[in-house]
Amino acid sequence: MWKGRFAKDTSTLVQDFGESISYDWRLYPHDVAGSIAHARAQLNAGLLNDEEFSQIEKGLREIEVDIREGRFEFRTSLEDIHMNIEAELTKRIGAAGGKLHTARSRNDQVATDTRLYCRTQIDSMLEAITALQNVLLDQSDKNAAAVMPGYTHLQRGQPVTVGHHLLAYVEMLERDKGRMADCRKRLNVSPLGSGALAGSTINLDREAIAKELGFDGITHNSMDAIADRDYIAELLFAISMMGVHLSRLSEDLILWCSSEFGFVTLSDEHTTGSSLMPQKKNPDVCEITRGKTGRLVGNLMNLLVAMKGLPITYNRDLQEDKPPLFDSVDTILLVLAVNTEMIGAMEMRQDRCLAAASDPMLLATDLADALVKSGVPFRSAHELVGKAVAESVESGVPLDELDLEKIDEAYTPEMKSVFSLQTALAARTNTGAPSIENVKREVERWRACL
Ligand code: ARG
């Protein structure tokens, strides 16, 4: 493509070093769409005649089909998807193919292609996240009234329900969707027309190109449009954050399916055995989800570090944006699909959850609240209950069986009524708190939202 200036061919080693076709071939549908929109603008500007435009459009469509059906032969010597397609087009249709690159550079072309790719993938991810939210919602519905301990520091804290616990992840995933949708809005502008870095002396109708490609508008500074990959970094962050959320969910499930907790049974289909220990049933899906999160975060770091020292505008380093982008998108889509299947099929063991929540210590805070309601300042109430807890630990008498009035006269016999999980949950009626009614209402709210 640049033979005019050079006397020797690029060495094979440099070709292998610099090629991106082995991975950016995936941009082909976007590259074709971008080229057709660009060619139409050339037609409308009088740079192509009808015949030339039709040849280009038809040629590009045929190339697209050939690539999709695995018939296209990519050449490393042609470096990337843009040059592979253009060279093949010219081979197929002749002179008109040589006109396509008028008023365009691979720099605005690749920025366009990656924006279109991100947009398409965001739409797939949004759908996949909603599917996962839906199975979490089904489980929350089934387990809306299933009492379990809520933990801080992985120590039993206060009673909640399984539904409430799982709905926490529905919330997190909704924010993940919000981040993606936000990123989509910001990236959905067309860089075409920015050229190599300084636009072109041949002015095509940028707005018309943008419209044809489904962009909401056009970029307003050619240098920025060529140089920045912030939209990819944003997306990689949104994916990483979601990965972190799913990694924490995995960790919960890993704990829950241990013998020590025994809160959940994962299906045989979503667990693996041991080649040595016949009794094992391992939560590999959760562990791999947790493990892959490292990769997602790594991909974000990869891009940020690659960009940080680059003078604007385009530098070839930017070609390294695509492997982390593709890897994160592929990874998270797989993570979402497998987790949706696994969570949809898991069975919560409500009896085990309830047994773990039946430790009266979980209601120590409620006892302090009862003292507060009778006029004791919270700090004093906390200390009084602390004393009762210490005595229970020392004597081995459960907290709800202690003679509280002996510990302090602030205690009254009615205060013992706090030692009921049903009462404890029923009292938690404020928005966001885990009363069973609230959890059921939240399930309904989410059903309507999703
Ligand atoms: N394959 C290149 C990339 O992904 C396309 C842009 C090449 N531009 C250039 N000036 N060499 O970044």
Side-chain angles (χ1 to χ4, degrees), residues 121-138 166 168-183 235 237-243 245-246 249 296 328-329 331-341 343 446 449-450:
Q121 298 302 321
I122 287 173
D123 292 342
S124 304
M125 286 186 274
L126 290 174
E127 241 176 74
I129 304 168
T130 305
L132 176 56
Q133 283 178 305
N134 272 315
V135 294
L136 283 166
L137 204 52
D138 291 342
L166 295 178
Y169 286 103
V170 177
E171 296 277 344
M172 293 179 218
L173 290 169
E174 189 65 16
R175 289 195 297 279
D176 292 325
K177 273 163 56 178
R179 268 182 281 275
M180 300 229 166
D182 190 46
C183 169
L235 183 55
F237 172 75
I239 294 174
S240 301
M241 193 65 243
M242 181 161 56
H245 287 151
L246 296 178
L249 173 56
L296 300 176
S328 280
V329 169
T331 302
I332 202 72
L333 284 171
L334 204 54
V335 162
L336 285 165
V338 70
N339 276 276
T340 301
E341 197 180 286
I343 290 167
W446 277 114
C449 288
L450 298 177

Side-chain angles (χ1 to χ4, degrees), residues 364-365 367-369 371-372 375-385:
T365 314
L367 184 58
D369 286 350
L371 286 165
V372 166
V376 181
F378 180 74
R379 278 290 150 232
S380 316
H382 187 282
E383 196 182 330
L384 283 178
V385 178

Side-chain angles (χ1 to χ4, degrees), residues 357-372:
S358 301
D359 174 357
M361 290 292 195
L362 267 75
L363 298 169
T365 314
D366 292 44
L367 184 58
D369 286 350
L371 286 165
V372 166

Side-chain angles (χ1 to χ4, degrees), residues 20 24 79-80 82 105-107 110 229 314-316 318-319 321-322:
S20 56
D24 70 9
E79 222 178 88
D80 56 25
H82 325 295
S105 154
R106 279 186 294 153
N107 293 354
V110 73
R229 295 291 182 270
Y314 184 83
N315 300 271
R316 192 63 183 281
L318 290 176
Q319 179 166 300
D321 61 353
K322 282 170 284 297

Side-chain angles (χ1 to χ4, degrees), residues 395-409:
S395 64
V397 178
L399 189 60
D400 57 342
E401 288 170 27
L402 285 179
D403 192 349
L404 292 172
E405 287 123 284
K406 251 201 198 151
I407 296 175
D408 197 281
E409 60 195 14

Side-chain angles (χ1 to χ4, degrees), residues 73-89:
E73 210 184 304
F74 292 114
R75 281 194 283 153
T76 309
S77 58
L78 287 167
E79 222 178 88
D80 56 25
I81 186 63
H82 325 295
M83 294 208 288
N84 267 275
I85 290 181
E86 192 192 322
E88 180 64 22
L89 179 71

